[in-house]
Amino acid sequence: MIRRIIDKVFGRKSRTAAGAQILPQSKHGIRRDQLDDCALKTCETLAQAGYKGYVVGGAVRDLLLTKTPKDFDVATDATPEEVRRLFRRSRIIGRRFQIVHVMCGRVTIEVTTFRSNGQKETEDEDERPTDEHGRLLSDNVFGNMADDAARRDFTINALYYDPLREEVHDYFGGVADCKKRVLRMIGDPETRFREDPVRMLRAARFAAKLDFHIDPDTRKPVATLAPLLANIPRARIFDEALKLLMSGHALRGVHQLRAEGLHHGMLPLLDTILDDTTGERFITAALKTTDARIAQDKPASPAFLFGTLLWPQVLQRWHALEAAGEKPQPALFLAMDEVLDAQRGQLAIPRRYDGMMKEIWALQPRFEQRGGQRPYRLLEHPRFRAAYDFLLLRAESGEVAAELGDWWTRFQEVDDDERAAMLLADSAPKPRRKRKRKKPADSAGEAPSA
Ligand code: ATP
Ligand code: MG
């Protein structure tokens, strides 16, 4: 109410949708039974209690594009406390802006109260809390449904599906943009990117994932604003990087990032990797494999993927340290630690992935040893499978001989007699030299999984 009066006085309507276009089922084609049961039940329960409940965001967009949504979000005018009281199995999460998780079986629906972009806090748009680059410092104010639509990023992400009436509420022409396969920012693109620079990464991700074209007006400010990503907490950048890499379209996503000049803020190592032919082949093979696994609904491990992204650097440092006189194993371990330390300031890969990345890397030299008991021991290693997949990528990119990858593939397939016949005499462990000190590296390569 107060908001309306303020809007009237200040004539400030531009950022708020005038009203939604309400599309019947015949126009949008989404059927209620395409929703997850839990999402449907959540909307029904809200409606029975006299509240609004719409499926919103990615799920509506994906259904319009006849893709299967990966999760369902619900938007409502009920407060988090009211939502919580309606659902026995639910809990409020988040401090700054609370959302409610409603659970049915193993499915969790995220229920968010309509919120606005913060305009309500101040009377004048210029006084909305932002940093000196225009980054919004607060967006935790409840609003109405139109406010909620206006604070979303792209037109295709601001669609609300009412399952009871089977209607789509479209505030910014998102349905038409879906048909045209255009990614278009809501409002003034430059302002919206300044408010939250991560939206630039989201634009690249959605364009890659949906195979959409970024609207020229939306795209234009990105080249200039890309450096603003430096002001974003590294953990948030990491989350976004992970989403892009796990979107099932990582290869396209990475190229999209580079085309927009956004990789400096997200995957700074990309330039060096892609400028080197072997590095490029390796990363391309890694991203393709990840995309293929996701397409087949197979698990893809982030640690494995980040391990591949960092490998060209590890390899480079490893060889440099060896050339400087360091022995191979200690050189590899030094290189691993250096590279992991260096990336923390840029990408902030969480430490929980370190263990697996290091194990995969540390096992690589052991694939070269194909005599005696060593291949059998490697086969038993808990990380063998991941390390072997990694080896295949190295073979595919030409970093190691294709023959090495083939040998290990065959070694796994054949019976005991054939295995014994495969062992290479020339790579049997060499007689040990007298050791002056305990070798730190050897045991670390065989460490149990993290
Ligand atoms: P995905 O299928 O990848 O999850 P999504 O559209 O559901 O895509 P989410 O990150 O889950 O993306 O966000 C849910 C919704 O919240 C988006 O559809 C969008 O409307 C809104 N949203 C998320 N992040 C932002 C942001 N940075 N700025 C504005 N709106 C956002
Ligand atoms: Mg989502």
Side-chain angles (χ1 to χ4, degrees), residues 56-59 61-62 70-71 73 151-154 157-158 192 196 198-199 202 205-206 209 236 243:
V56 67
R61 174 197 73 215
D62 290 348
K70 71 175 160 50
D71 43 39
D73 297 331
R151 62 110 187 152
R152 291 177 186 271
D153 46 9
F154 304 103
N157 284 350
R192 303 299 314 283
D196 180 7
V198 169
R199 289 172 186 152
R202 290 175 59 84
R205 171 160 70 90
F206 288 126
K209 174 175 146 161
R236 211 175 151 214
K243 281 192 192 168

Side-chain angles (χ1 to χ4, degrees), residues 347-362:
L347 185 57
I349 300 174
R351 281 180 198 276
R352 65 176 180 281
Y353 295 145
D354 283 10
M356 179 163 169
M357 286 194 287
K358 281 180 160 182
E359 277 184 312
I360 293 175
W361 294 337

Side-chain angles (χ1 to χ4, degrees), residues 57-131:
V60 188
R61 174 197 73 215
D62 290 348
L63 286 171
L64 268 180
L65 294 169
T66 62
K67 289 175 186 281
T68 313
K70 71 175 160 50
D71 43 39
F72 289 85
D73 297 331
V74 166
T76 180
D77 57 350
T79 65
E81 204 37 65
E82 287 166 338
V83 176
R84 226 219 55 71
R85 264 183 261 134
L86 281 177
F87 299 92
R88 203 167 49 83
R89 289 193 61 212
S90 67
R91 60 160 188 258
I92 295 183
I93 59 158
R95 245 179 300 153
R96 204 171 68 96
F97 197 90
Q98 296 185 324
I99 60 173
V100 186
H101 276 175
V102 172
M103 287 151 287
C104 336
R106 285 196 292 160
V107 179
T108 299
I109 304 293
E110 224 169 75
V111 183
T112 314
T113 304
F114 293 145
R115 68 201 220 218
S116 100
N117 228 345
Q119 293 102 319
K120 279 190 171 177
E121 284 192 337
T122 54
E123 294 193 353
D124 195 295
E125 184 120 359
D126 293 340
E127 282 173 30
R128 286 166 52 212
T130 60
D131 72 3

Side-chain angles (χ1 to χ4, degrees), residues 10-55:
F10 288 87
R12 184 157 52 76
K13 272 272 166 219
S14 62
R15 293 178 47 82
T16 315
Q21 204 190 346
I22 298 177
L23 303 167
Q25 210 268 339
S26 60
K27 285 270 165 61
H28 59 73
I30 302 174
R31 296 183 325 270
R32 183 184 305 143
D33 60 29
Q34 289 176 289
L35 297 189
D36 178 88
D37 286 347
C38 190
L40 183 58
K41 215 175 128 247
T42 305
C43 292
E44 280 171 356
T45 307
L46 285 165
Q48 277 158 14
Y51 300 110
K52 290 177 176 159
Y54 297 92
V55 174

Side-chain angles (χ1 to χ4, degrees), residues 251-275:
L251 186 60
R252 202 153 63 197
V254 161
H255 285 285
Q256 183 84 42
L257 275 184
R258 207 176 183 217
E260 306 296 336
L262 287 165
H263 59 295
H264 298 291
M266 181 143 122
L267 296 170
L269 26 126
L270 216 54
D271 272 333
T272 6
I273 299 173
L274 297 182
D275 285 345

